[in-house]
Amino acid sequence: MKLIHTFLKGGVFPPEHTRTARDAATWNAMIPARCVVPLLQHSGVPARRIVQRGQRVNEGAIIGAARAYESARVHAPIPGVVSEIIQLTLADGRQSEAVVIELDGEFQQLGRSIKPRDWRRLKNRRIYEQISDAGVVGLGGEGVPSHTKYVLPKTAAVEWLIVNGCESEPYLSSEYRLLRERPQQLVEGIQILMRLLSPKRTVIALAGHTRSAVSGLRGAVAAARSRIQLQRLAGKYPQGDEHTLVGSVAGRAVRGAATVADAGCMVIDVATVLAMYEAVLLGKPLVERTVTVSGGAIAQPGNLKVRLGASIGDLIEECGGFCAAPRKLVVGGPMRGHAVTDLTQPVTKLTSAVLALTEEELQSVGQTACVRCGRCVRACPMGLEPVMLHLLIAQHDWRAVVKAGVFDCTECGCCGFICPSGIPLVDQLKQAKSQIRREEHEDGERAH
Ligand code: SF4
Ligand code: SF4
């Protein structure tokens, strides 16, 4: 087991905040009396609803079937009766059909201890089915269904399996708590992936505050006699970004349309490994996840294990409610998360955090003209020149914008964060990408 220290090029050090949930052990949130369960909680195609209004469902019953290869099953997080089928706008702006379940009846799994299966006796195909059947998706990013990413036979060999324990966005601490509280299960989950993917090297990457979980992990790796390595990285943001991580750990650059898989790497976050562990060893569908509830306006910040479909308002209430006026509510981290205004938003597979930020924390500055300070250039982990992109976008010179590397931008937010003029650089970059794609699509249509 090696301990290596490497440094991220670019990136920013967002300020440490005082109201952290880091030191509080994860607790089980109250079981919600009503769950709003969207059928789109992953990338790709929404699940197909297979329940009707008035139908009774057991805890863990399938309520949405995967209707395409890039789709994922959705299960009932609580037993009860389907009271409504609604349409809602998710925190990330996508539209989704959702199944509303009112709590009623008995829990099949809650509070019962399940004897773990010996996964070593299972064939790879069976493991794949377990992960797919449980509706496991990437819990740290865009929710790519795990059976499409980690399990099916791949065209390229996996040289590096990188377990992302970096959690570099400010406020977030749920992955840190999982690293501290469940190291043995994490190591066993990684061993399953090692068998499926046969990587040449397997690394758990830690950064910033998560580096202090190293001793527990070291013990778990030794007890399992595994060849998993631990690697400690600088605590800069966006160390946990897939592209950045592959650069820091494997020393490989991923640019443009290439994926980390093209660079011979697979990156998976801690929560997803544990969801796979539960699917394979315990046969548990993905009906709950750990969520950080934090920010200056939260009375008692914490990490909660939450049933999917519970409302974010319920979580805030469970954390003592507001102790100051929230200026902004965010689902996800402060750098990449989505601002919401509605406390009835449901927790989904993609909800890593709920933040209630005060005016003081937002440090909002009005936008002024670029002062050519170059900070955004120094902060960009992808080696881009955001200021140049900003100027080219203002001129609508899309060809030059593409040439300047707009599609290499990972939308990490470092440039906008560091800009003293308050220029919304990331928003401009996102809009430019959409505009360019739209024009390319229209050109293609005209050509036909
Ligand atoms: S240009 Fe893109 S990749 Fe570079 S700092 Fe800005 S958001 Fe991050
Ligand atoms: S950080 Fe902001 S002000 Fe400085 S060069 Fe970049 S865009 Fe201009």
Side-chain angles (χ1 to χ4, degrees):
M1 179 174 58
K2 277 188 193 161
L3 242 46
I4 313 161
H5 201 103
T6 55
F7 292 93
L8 157 70
K9 209 170 147 193
V12 293
F13 287 101
E16 274 286 316
H17 51 94
T18 49
R19 300 188 60 76
T20 174
R22 202 178 292 167
D23 298 326
T26 309
W27 79 80
N28 289 324
M30 301 236 301
I31 296 295
R34 181 176 191 264
C35 280
V36 177
V37 192
L39 294 168
L40 182 57
Q41 303 189 43
H42 48 266
S43 65
V45 183
R48 177 173 50 82
R49 176 169 57 83
I50 59 166
V51 290
Q52 309 300 327
R53 193 161 169 243
Q55 189 171 331
R56 184 166 284 280
V57 290
N58 291 328
E59 175 198 19
I62 304 165
I63 57 174
R67 66 163 119 196
Y69 175 57
E70 190 171 354
S71 184
R73 271 188 186 175
V74 176
H75 302 80
I78 54 172
V81 176
V82 175
S83 61
E84 272 182 281
I85 309 292
I86 59 171
Q87 286 292 329
L88 56 77
T89 305
L90 302 170
D92 59 17
R94 293 182 298 171
Q95 300 291 314
S96 176
E97 188 177 44
V99 176
V100 183
I101 303 170
E102 306 286 341
L103 178 65
D104 190 29
E106 282 190 14
F107 283 87
Q108 311 285 312
Q109 290 173 347
L110 186 72
R112 303 199 178 164
S113 72
I114 306 168
K115 190 165 176 271
R117 283 194 194 103
D118 181 1
W119 62 269
R120 288 179 178 81
R121 289 170 179 267
L122 299 178
K123 291 204 160 67
N124 284 3
R125 171 58 56 179
R126 182 73 193 120
I127 293 177
Y128 152 68
E129 283 167 1
Q130 290 286 129
I131 292 169
S132 177
D133 289 354
V136 179
V137 307
L139 299 179
E142 292 165 2
V144 177
S146 295
H147 62 273
T148 69
K149 194 168 174 186
Y150 302 109
V151 188
L152 279 187
K154 273 151 286 297
T155 46
V158 177
E159 290 180 59
W160 292 80
L161 171 61
I162 303 170
V163 179
N164 184 357
C166 293
E167 197 167 56
S168 52
E169 278 214 56
Y171 295 92
L172 306 196
S173 55
S174 62
E175 297 248 322
Y176 169 68
R177 292 310 314 176
L178 294 174
L179 286 164
R180 290 290 298 265
E181 294 166 10
R182 300 174 63 186
Q184 290 85 5
Q185 293 177 359
L186 177 67
V187 167
E188 192 150 9
I190 297 169
Q191 287 179 306
I192 299 172
L193 278 166
M194 288 167 76
R195 197 181 92 186
L196 295 172
L197 301 172
S198 307
K200 288 189 184 146
R201 297 180 70 175
T202 302
V203 172
I204 303 176
L206 307 168
H209 64 281
T210 69
R211 288 188 291 188
S212 64
V214 75
S215 59
L217 289 167
R218 192 185 284 141
V221 170
R225 296 170 193 259
S226 173
R227 58 187 172 86
I228 299 168
Q229 297 178 331
L230 301 179
Q231 186 160 346
R232 289 180 292 187
L233 305 167
K236 267 182 173 180
Y237 176 81
Q239 190 65 263
D241 179 274
E242 257 194 12
H243 292 62
T244 307
L245 202 52
V246 164
S248 296
V249 174
R252 296 177 182 185
V254 183
R255 291 281 188 265
T259 65
V260 295
D262 296 328
C265 299
M266 278 283 167
V267 179
I268 183 165
D269 60 275
V270 170
T272 309
V273 176
L274 288 166
M276 285 189 186
Y277 167 94
E278 292 189 347
V280 177
L281 275 84
L282 310 178
K284 265 184 78 175
L286 182 56
V287 293
E288 57 187 0
R289 66 159 297 152
T290 312
V291 180
T292 300
V293 181
S294 189
I298 297 290
Q300 189 198 344
N303 290 295
L304 287 73
K305 200 169 184 187
V306 184
R307 293 278 157 156
L308 305 178
S311 77
I312 63 168
D314 284 350
L315 302 196
I316 291 171
E317 205 163 301
E318 198 155 345
C319 290
F322 295 124
C323 59
R327 168 75 200 291
K328 190 175 181 183
L329 281 175
V330 180
V331 170
M335 307 290 279
R336 287 181 188 261
H338 303 280
V340 294
T341 52
D342 181 3
L343 287 171
T344 65
Q345 270 289 335
V347 170
T348 72
K349 295 177 185 180
L350 306 184
T351 309
S352 58
V354 175
L355 306 178
L357 305 173
T358 60
E359 177 77 48
E360 197 186 350
E361 287 172 297
L362 289 171
Q363 297 169 344
S364 45
V365 290
Q367 186 181 333
T368 55
C370 170
V371 293
R372 308 285 174 110
C373 65
R375 286 194 203 178
C376 56
V377 178
R378 289 192 290 280
C380 179
M382 299 304 290
L384 301 175
E385 295 191 20
V387 55
M388 181 56 69
L389 286 160
H390 161 69
L391 296 172
L392 294 170
I393 289 167
Q395 293 162 17
H396 294 203
D397 187 347
W398 304 128
R399 194 169 293 189
V401 171
V402 172
K403 216 168 159 198
V406 72
F407 286 104
D408 285 337
C409 168
T410 60
E411 300 173 12
C412 68
C414 290
C415 50
F417 173 81
I418 206 85
C419 176
S421 299
I423 300 171
L425 292 163
V426 199
D427 291 342
Q428 292 179 355
L429 291 163
K430 283 184 192 169
Q431 282 161 16
K433 284 195 223 179
S434 309
Q435 178 69 26
I436 293 163
R437 286 196 186 108
R438 200 161 41 243
E439 289 190 9
E440 281 175 354
H441 178 72
E442 283 166 8
D443 287 350
E445 296 272 287
R446 271 195 292 274
H448 276 87

